[in-house]
Amino acid sequence: MQSLIGTGVALITPFKDDFTIDIEALRRIVNFSIDGGIEYLVILGTTAENATLTQEEKELVIATVIEVNAGRLPLVLGVGGNNTMKVVEELRTRDLSPFVAILSVSPYYNKPSQEGIYQHFKAVAEASPIPVILYNVPGRTSSNMLPSTVIRLANDFENVVAIKEAAGDLVQAMQLLKNKPKDFLVISGDDMIALPVVLAGGAGVISVIGQGFPKEFSEMIRLGLNRKVDEAFKLQYLLTDCIDMIFEQGNPSGIKEVFQVLGISENVVRLPLVPVNESLAERIALFVKKMVKNT
């Protein structure tokens, strides 16, 4: 799928000081990402604090992003969970026509076997009227979707078109790239190794930092896709310190601090998350101000 090549961003959900959704800030973030050269937008991923949003709030976020995007970029919707029947029900009842694909996380907490993961995504693929991006993030799910399971799903279901691979394991990503079907896309889910994954044959990234530095990060990925390695790594090393910082005390607390320094939204997260501490906030601020000054 050409629309999933390049940089997608997992949009945050900005909150006001009273913890309600800041719709105007969300509008600014969408426009900031689009104006910065991002290729597609991901709604209601992990970075959106999806787990703490009510159903009404989720609908508000979806409607707002669709409205502000106004057809400019492809949209991907996060539809996943650890209750297979509930995920299937949503896929069968929700209007998915505004989206090019869904992003569906491997079941968390239940800790299914590889066969359980396969059967879960078999049900998802059979229920989804649009393409499915698998999402492997063992650090959050407590189970690793092995390359053999991913390849099995990719071969068995035409609408399983990609994986967001966020195990942080370049060797595992290379195993996927080596054995995948021709048109199946391996998308990095880790900002730090996104460029190496692209250079190994990956399709791009679904990024967190990309929404804070859309111009630089999306250009880095495009350079990688075009095999302009030296230029790409120059941008990689420019951003490396901040990639580390935004994940140091949890996501999305770090990227929300970036947006606060940029004046786009406040750094307000919902419990059990908390904002970054003063020391990290100062380091992020120094980095962001230096980037702004040099652009």
Side-chain angles (χ1 to χ4, degrees), residues 81-84 106-113 141-143:
N82 61 346
N83 180 343
T84 307
S106 185
Y108 44 85
Y109 192 76
N110 310 54
K111 298 184 74 172
S113 66
T141 64
S142 294
S143 64

Side-chain angles (χ1 to χ4, degrees), residues 147-169:
S148 57
T149 303
V150 175
I151 302 305
R152 183 183 172 198
L153 287 161
N155 283 321
D156 288 356
F157 302 98
E158 285 187 5
N159 63 337
V160 175
V161 299
I163 183 169
K164 178 184 177 184
E165 176 54 52
D169 185 340

Side-chain angles (χ1 to χ4, degrees), residues 55-185:
Q55 191 58 43
E56 291 75 18
E57 289 172 330
K58 290 177 184 178
E59 301 300 336
L60 177 60
V61 168
I62 293 169
T64 300
V65 177
I66 291 173
E67 177 198 351
V68 177
N69 180 57
R72 288 179 287 174
L73 292 185
L75 300 177
V76 173
L77 180 65
V79 183
N82 61 346
N83 180 343
T84 307
M85 288 189 291
K86 184 177 179 182
V87 176
V88 166
E89 177 66 17
E90 180 171 359
L91 290 170
R92 286 177 174 163
T93 57
R94 177 178 290 283
D95 176 16
L96 294 170
S97 60
F99 306 100
V100 298
I102 63 162
L103 175 67
S104 198
V105 69
S106 185
Y108 44 85
Y109 192 76
N110 310 54
K111 298 184 74 172
S113 66
Q114 294 300 304
E115 183 62 26
I117 293 171
Y118 175 87
Q119 292 297 333
H120 169 85
F121 280 116
K122 177 179 186 287
V124 168
E126 289 174 344
S128 180
I130 62 175
V132 176
I133 306 169
L134 310 173
Y135 181 16
N136 184 41
V137 56
R140 290 185 180 273
T141 64
S142 294
S143 64
N144 184 26
M145 182 161 41
L146 295 178
S148 57
T149 303
V150 175
I151 302 305
R152 183 183 172 198
L153 287 161
N155 283 321
D156 288 356
F157 302 98
E158 285 187 5
N159 63 337
V160 175
V161 299
I163 183 169
K164 178 184 177 184
E165 176 54 52
D169 185 340
L170 189 55
V171 173
Q172 180 161 298
M174 291 173 70
Q175 289 173 334
L176 286 167
L177 289 162
K178 174 180 177 291
N179 297 315
K180 72 180 184 67
K182 181 173 181 274
D183 295 328
F184 186 79
L185 304 180

